[in-house]
Amino acid sequence: MLAKSSTELVRQKNSALVLSALRRHGPLAHTELSDFTKLSSATVSVITADLERAQIIEKAEQQAASGRGRPRVLFSQRRDFGYLIIVVISSDAVQYSLVDYAGRLIDRFSEERPQEVSGVGPFIAAMRDALRRIAARSQLDHDKVLMISISSKGLVDNSETVLRWSPIFGRDEIDFAAVLADEWPAKIMLGNETLLVAAALGRQEENNKDSDFRAMAALSLGHSIGLGIVRREEGGGHQVSAPNFGHMMHVPGGALCRCGARGCIEAYAGFYAMLRTAFDVPLDTIPAKFVPIAELDKIAVSARNGGRRNVLAFRQAGLALGNGLSRVLSLHERMPIVITGPGVRYYDLLIEGITEGLAESHVVRMEGMPELRVALDESTLVFDGHINRAFSIIDNDIVKRVGSSIELRAQAG
Amino acid sequence: MLAKSSTELVRQKNSALVLSALRRHGPLAHTELSDFTKLSSATVSVITADLERAQIIEKAEQQAASGRGRPRVLFSQRRDFGYLIIVVISSDAVQYSLVDYAGRLIDRFSEERPQEVSGVGPFIAAMRDALRRIAARSQLDHDKVLMISISSKGLVDNSETVLRWSPIFGRDEIDFAAVLADEWPAKIMLGNETLLVAAALGRQEENNKDSDFRAMAALSLGHSIGLGIVRREEGGGHQVSAPNFGHMMHVPGGALCRCGARGCIEAYAGFYAMLRTAFDVPLDTIPAKFVPIAELDKIAVSARNGGRRNVLAFRQAGLALGNGLSRVLSLHERMPIVITGPGVRYYDLLIEGITEGLAESHVVRMEGMPELRVALDESTLVFDGHINRAFSIIDNDIVKRVGSSIELRAQAG
DNA sequence: ATTTTTTTCTCGACAGTCGAGAAATTAACT
DNA sequence: AGTTAATTTCTCGACTGTCGAGAAAAAAAT
């Protein structure tokens, strides 16, 4: 309620509406745009004409006319209006993807990250190099890149450019915006990985007409534990947040966590923690840097055959997760929980503990068990989350410039 | 991004802006309105003329001209445009207040609530009676009442009219909208008490120019424990939520709580819980319905004189609160915490445990201790919260009708 | 009385949306 | 081949909104 409104703002919002319809449904004709946005045909004409003049959208080749009457002409984003680079940092590799303005994947490669910690400096250097490379391979000027969208596990600052803490670099902060500013005019955005998963799930649920989606949580199980929450806002927007769930306190003064604190959820439910319990190692043992998933698979096999110590490892992990989730539900509303990440393969072993950990709480007694789902394709969700978030921001930025500077540029050209 | 925008919406928003400036700063002249809202003088003229025609605002008697030049004429809300009834339900009494459209208190009375639980039925009957009475005493027709705003401790449904769980009525739900609909055309709103405290604090902080307010939590200590969180939204709005903090799990399978679950924070930090610890009663003893504050005062005196068992009672309560708050901070961002409610008088005894409970967590190690403040005037904050929230909603509703139906009515009359 | 100062009101320009109908374009029909 | 029907896109005039500039109003100072 702070800012005044004006007719120009109306145009901005409605232009953004047109662009987002295009994002959601792919190429659309004039009539369809009018249907989806509820804007009048006349308004759609003006807006599309503006966007076309600004080189943002274009009329596609008209396909074979399907019925009688004047054939539709489809509008779609100009693929070469600009580009998006997506950087997914995981514990063992960094994946670079180049995407055009229409959302199509153009190029992608991964680089191994040496397991032995090489520190922030070399990592930044490697990243700067890789970014240069992915642009060069498609012969793109750096100013054609609209945004570099980065994700990592860990704690992201409110600024959305600073990595405050991560399982990989610990407390060595990285300010990606500062690090890349000299070479890239693009907007830099950093997001927690599980937050992007939640964002993607929220978008999916939104498209699903008959679900009365209000909120949803994504829980990622792996070497570390991530949680993302997405809530629907009044006005149709989504609000996402990435709580520091993995390092929420489970048991005061409890097991030693990688982060140096004691009693974090991760110190009971992370891969290294399950290993520790399975081998009956003291809980203040310094956690392993990395656990090959094969190790855990062995424990799982044994647990499924009734190995008591191994069953206990998964049960304790489940309990920590369940207790933690019950606390999340106490602090938010009831919402479905989608479990994802490499750890889902042990879902059968974890579920008992999770359920029990949830059941004890007041919320669950009041409102019943939350719905639990499993999503196997975490990496797809991360990528979708990147694309959704990036283009939603890019489109909203662009729309502010249409009608002012870009119009002038078009006159000049 | 779901709804289209239009010129009428612009007018609606700007009208709301004018009304909210009037709420925030009291009677304002044309020039001041233009300054505060950043709207042009011409626009302010049109909007105020509309609102005046719709009988919502009026030109006040012009006060003595303070300088030279044409004297200012102040606009203010018409006090008789409509009325608000505020109902504050607490464990021992129910307070009814009648407020006019300009926000001035007109009438107020309290009714004792018998300590022996008399059930929901009699309570509703008494409330209906009291509401009739407060309107009758000021000779108001029921349709002059724009909203009935109710608050209670406990768990409020998303609908904001249904009390799901409360320390007073337990699991006996009350749907206030359904109960009052036959007699009152007014909008019915229900809010958690501590949520309103948080809302009021947020508003205060907002007015405080030099604070970069992002989020804030209010913690109310008493027989039960309440938490309200207010966050600033993009666009200037505030988002408030009332987590079920008192019944968040503190220790799995721990002390017996009034709610029937085990290990809730309240079961360690509520007044009855501290009493239980002080007298070394087993933790699964059924909690006292009500604890006279004098009892706790005695324990506090003893604790301040070094009585070990009594020191422990406050320390354990503080620990539960501190651990719980650390979990809240894990799930949200860092934010200042304002402690309020009757329990603040033991702040000196609680603070050690609270600090210790916070210190163990990863967030606090990362981001440092959150700022802790004390607010003594809880009941004032609750009342302010009611008024802020109610009129903000009322004004936004009204503005939608200006220019359509109300205009017609003015023509007819 | 006249001038100065301050505030409020009014007018024309400009930006935006909308409904209705004109123009365009193709398939179907005679 | 020419005509008609169907469908989509484009265009025009009406309406609503905001804004800047300057006119009008009203009181104090000269």
Side-chain angles (χ1 to χ4, degrees):
Chain A
M1 205 49 57
L2 220 112
K4 68 173 175 178
S5 204
S6 65
T7 50
E8 285 119 74
L9 264 179
V10 170
R11 167 56 65 87
Q12 261 180 46
K13 281 208 170 174
N14 287 341
S15 300
L17 202 60
V18 167
L19 284 180
S20 88
L22 245 34
R23 289 268 167 233
R24 198 178 301 258
H25 302 106
L28 294 178
H30 180 107
T31 330
E32 297 165 310
L33 279 175
S34 175
D35 286 351
F36 282 129
T37 61
K38 310 290 177 201
L39 292 168
S40 77
S41 164
T43 305
V44 171
S45 281
V46 183
I47 289 175
T48 50
D50 274 9
L51 293 174
E52 211 180 345
R53 196 166 340 120
Q55 319 257 330
I56 297 168
I57 64 173
E58 62 188 353
K59 288 185 177 138
E61 300 308 305
Q62 57 235 47
Q63 77 242 341
S66 57
R68 67 169 152 181
R70 182 171 172 172
R72 299 179 163 187
V73 314
L74 300 181
F75 289 100
S76 63
Q77 297 94 343
R78 283 190 65 134
R79 303 182 54 167
D80 60 349
F81 175 75
Y83 298 86
L84 164 68
I85 300 180
I86 294 175
V87 183
V88 178
I89 304 172
S90 55
S91 53
D92 52 345
V94 186
Q95 185 196 60
Y96 299 86
S97 309
L98 180 67
V99 175
D100 69 21
Y101 184 61
R104 288 186 187 79
L105 182 64
I106 297 177
D107 191 8
R108 168 177 284 177
F109 58 81
S110 276
E111 301 216 319
E112 302 274 315
R113 239 177 38 76
Q115 229 28 254
E116 298 313 307
V117 174
S118 52
V120 169
F123 168 76
I124 298 285
M127 179 172 166
R128 284 170 62 98
D129 187 58
L131 287 173
R132 261 193 302 272
R133 209 136 29 86
I134 202 166
R137 276 170 36 156
S138 296
Q139 284 148 2
L140 290 181
D141 285 348
H142 284 198
D143 60 1
K144 269 292 192 183
V145 175
L146 302 169
M147 182 183 283
I148 301 178
S149 179
I150 308 169
S151 69
S152 164
K153 293 186 190 300
L155 198 56
V156 173
D157 192 80
N158 286 325
S159 66
E160 298 194 311
T161 69
V162 179
L163 187 60
R164 300 284 302 281
W165 184 89
S166 64
I168 303 172
F169 303 108
R171 290 194 65 157
D172 291 341
E173 293 195 355
I174 307 180
D175 183 343
F176 286 99
V179 159
L180 300 174
D182 61 334
E183 219 178 334
W184 298 91
K187 188 163 191 163
I188 313 290
M189 290 215 63
L190 172 67
N192 172 288
E193 188 173 296
T194 316
L195 173 141
L196 293 172
V197 171
L201 288 169
R203 176 70 64 113
Q204 273 180 20
E205 202 69 8
E206 190 81 354
N207 283 351
N208 183 355
K209 283 282 175 188
D210 48 28
S211 86
D212 57 337
F213 163 65
R214 283 186 49 90
M216 177 178 276
L219 176 65
S220 171
L221 305 180
H223 203 63
S224 63
I225 308 292
L227 185 78
I229 295 178
V230 55
R231 273 171 303 171
R232 189 182 208 158
E233 271 183 332
E234 52 207 313
H238 286 177
Q239 219 223 302
V240 289
S241 60
N244 194 6
F245 181 77
H247 301 282
M248 188 165 90
M249 183 187 295
H250 174 47
V251 176
L256 184 63
C257 176
R258 265 196 302 176
C259 72
R262 288 179 160 276
C264 299
I265 290 178
E266 188 185 294
Y268 292 84
F271 280 178
Y272 68 84
M274 294 197 272
L275 207 68
R276 200 161 54 181
T277 315
F279 285 110
D280 210 359
V281 176
L283 289 182
D284 54 355
T285 309
I286 292 179
K289 281 275 175 213
F290 184 76
V291 179
I293 195 134
E295 288 288 317
L296 270 164
D297 281 345
K298 276 187 237 162
I299 296 173
V301 168
S302 153
R304 291 194 183 103
N305 290 327
R308 293 196 37 201
R309 190 76 216 170
N310 295 338
V311 168
L312 179 68
F314 288 103
R315 208 184 114 73
Q316 278 203 350
L319 267 177
L321 293 171
N323 280 172
L325 287 173
S326 91
R327 286 165 179 146
V328 171
L329 296 177
S330 288
L331 293 182
H332 292 88
E333 57 196 306
R334 181 182 149 84
M335 60 179 91
I337 295 160
V338 180
I339 301 177
T340 181
V344 282
R345 61 168 79 184
Y346 313 123
Y347 185 72
D348 57 327
L349 296 165
L350 291 167
I351 182 62
E352 190 194 339
I354 293 179
T355 311
E356 190 180 325
L358 276 165
E360 301 177 81
S361 70
H362 180 234
V363 240
V364 172
R365 288 163 58 116
M366 279 291 303
E367 306 184 342
M369 269 286 165
E371 183 188 343
L372 295 173
R373 294 182 218 166
V374 166
L376 295 171
D377 51 344
E378 189 183 30
S379 61
T380 316
L381 289 170
V382 171
F383 191 71
D384 286 355
H386 268 291
I387 293 211
N388 287 340
R389 196 177 64 144
F391 282 121
S392 140
I393 292 167
I394 289 174
D395 286 348
N396 273 303
D397 276 0
I398 282 173
V399 144
K400 290 180 189 150
R401 278 171 276 164
V402 175
S404 55
S405 58
I406 291 188
E407 197 132 4
L408 295 175
R409 199 175 76 193
Q411 273 180 14
Chain B
M1 204 49 56
L2 220 113
K4 69 173 176 178
S5 204
S6 65
T7 49
E8 286 119 74
L9 264 179
V10 169
R11 167 56 63 87
Q12 259 180 47
K13 281 209 170 174
N14 287 341
S15 299
L17 201 59
V18 167
L19 284 181
S20 88
L22 245 32
R23 289 267 167 233
R24 196 178 304 257
H25 302 106
L28 293 178
H30 180 105
T31 330
E32 297 166 309
L33 278 175
S34 175
D35 286 351
F36 282 130
T37 60
K38 311 289 177 203
L39 292 167
S40 77
S41 164
T43 305
V44 171
S45 281
V46 183
I47 288 176
T48 50
D50 274 8
L51 292 175
E52 213 180 342
R53 196 168 338 123
Q55 319 257 329
I56 297 168
I57 63 174
E58 62 188 352
K59 287 183 178 141
E61 297 309 303
Q62 57 235 46
Q63 77 245 340
S66 57
R68 68 169 157 183
R70 182 171 172 173
R72 298 181 163 185
V73 314
L74 300 180
F75 289 100
S76 63
Q77 297 94 344
R78 283 190 65 135
R79 304 181 55 167
D80 60 349
F81 176 74
Y83 298 85
L84 164 66
I85 300 181
I86 294 175
V87 183
V88 178
I89 304 172
S90 56
S91 53
D92 52 346
V94 185
Q95 184 197 59
Y96 299 87
S97 308
L98 180 66
V99 175
D100 70 21
Y101 184 62
R104 289 186 187 79
L105 182 63
I106 297 178
D107 190 9
R108 168 176 284 176
F109 59 80
S110 276
E111 301 217 319
E112 302 274 315
R113 241 178 35 75
Q115 229 26 256
E116 298 314 307
V117 172
S118 52
V120 169
F123 169 75
I124 298 285
M127 179 172 167
R128 285 171 60 100
D129 186 58
L131 287 173
R132 260 194 303 271
R133 208 135 28 88
I134 202 167
R137 274 165 46 150
S138 296
Q139 283 145 6
L140 291 181
D141 283 349
H142 285 197
D143 59 1
K144 268 292 192 183
V145 175
L146 302 169
M147 182 183 284
I148 301 178
S149 180
I150 308 168
S151 69
S152 164
K153 293 186 190 303
L155 197 56
V156 172
D157 192 80
N158 285 326
S159 65
E160 298 194 310
T161 69
V162 179
L163 187 60
R164 299 285 302 281
W165 184 90
S166 63
I168 303 171
F169 303 109
R171 291 195 65 158
D172 291 340
E173 294 195 354
I174 306 180
D175 182 342
F176 287 99
V179 158
L180 300 175
D182 60 334
E183 220 178 331
W184 298 91
K187 188 164 192 162
I188 314 291
M189 290 216 64
L190 173 67
N192 172 289
E193 188 173 295
T194 317
L195 173 142
L196 293 171
V197 172
L201 288 168
R203 176 69 65 112
Q204 273 181 20
E205 202 70 6
E206 191 80 354
N207 283 351
N208 182 355
K209 282 281 175 188
D210 48 28
S211 85
D212 57 338
F213 162 65
R214 284 187 48 90
M216 177 178 274
L219 175 65
S220 171
L221 304 180
H223 203 63
S224 64
I225 308 291
L227 186 78
I229 296 178
V230 55
R231 274 171 303 170
R232 191 182 206 156
E233 272 183 333
E234 53 206 312
H238 286 178
Q239 219 222 301
V240 288
S241 59
N244 194 7
F245 181 75
H247 301 282
M248 187 165 92
M249 183 186 296
H250 173 47
V251 176
L256 183 63
C257 177
R258 264 196 302 176
C259 72
R262 288 178 160 277
C264 300
I265 289 178
E266 188 185 294
Y268 292 85
F271 280 178
Y272 68 85
M274 294 198 271
L275 207 67
R276 203 161 50 182
T277 315
F279 286 109
D280 209 359
V281 176
L283 290 182
D284 53 356
T285 310
I286 292 180
K289 280 277 172 209
F290 184 76
V291 179
I293 196 135
E295 289 287 318
L296 270 163
D297 281 346
K298 276 188 239 162
I299 297 173
V301 168
S302 154
R304 290 193 183 104
N305 290 328
R308 292 194 41 199
R309 191 76 217 170
N310 296 337
V311 168
L312 180 67
F314 288 102
R315 210 183 113 72
Q316 278 203 349
L319 266 176
L321 294 170
N323 281 172
L325 287 173
S326 91
R327 287 165 179 146
V328 171
L329 295 176
S330 288
L331 293 181
H332 291 90
E333 56 194 308
R334 180 182 150 82
M335 61 180 91
I337 295 160
V338 180
I339 301 178
T340 182
V344 282
R345 60 168 79 185
Y346 313 124
Y347 185 71
D348 57 326
L349 296 165
L350 292 167
I351 183 62
E352 191 194 339
I354 293 179
T355 312
E356 190 180 325
L358 277 165
E360 300 177 83
S361 70
H362 180 234
V363 240
V364 172
R365 288 163 59 117
M366 281 291 304
E367 307 184 342
M369 269 286 165
E371 182 189 343
L372 294 174
R373 293 181 219 166
V374 166
L376 295 170
D377 51 346
E378 189 182 30
S379 62
T380 315
L381 289 170
V382 170
F383 191 71
D384 286 355
H386 268 289
I387 292 210
N388 288 340
R389 195 177 64 144
F391 282 122
S392 138
I393 292 167
I394 288 174
D395 286 349
N396 273 304
D397 277 359
I398 282 173
V399 143
K400 289 178 191 152
R401 278 172 275 164
V402 176
S404 56
S405 58
I406 291 189
E407 197 131 5
L408 295 177
R409 199 173 76 191
Q411 274 181 15

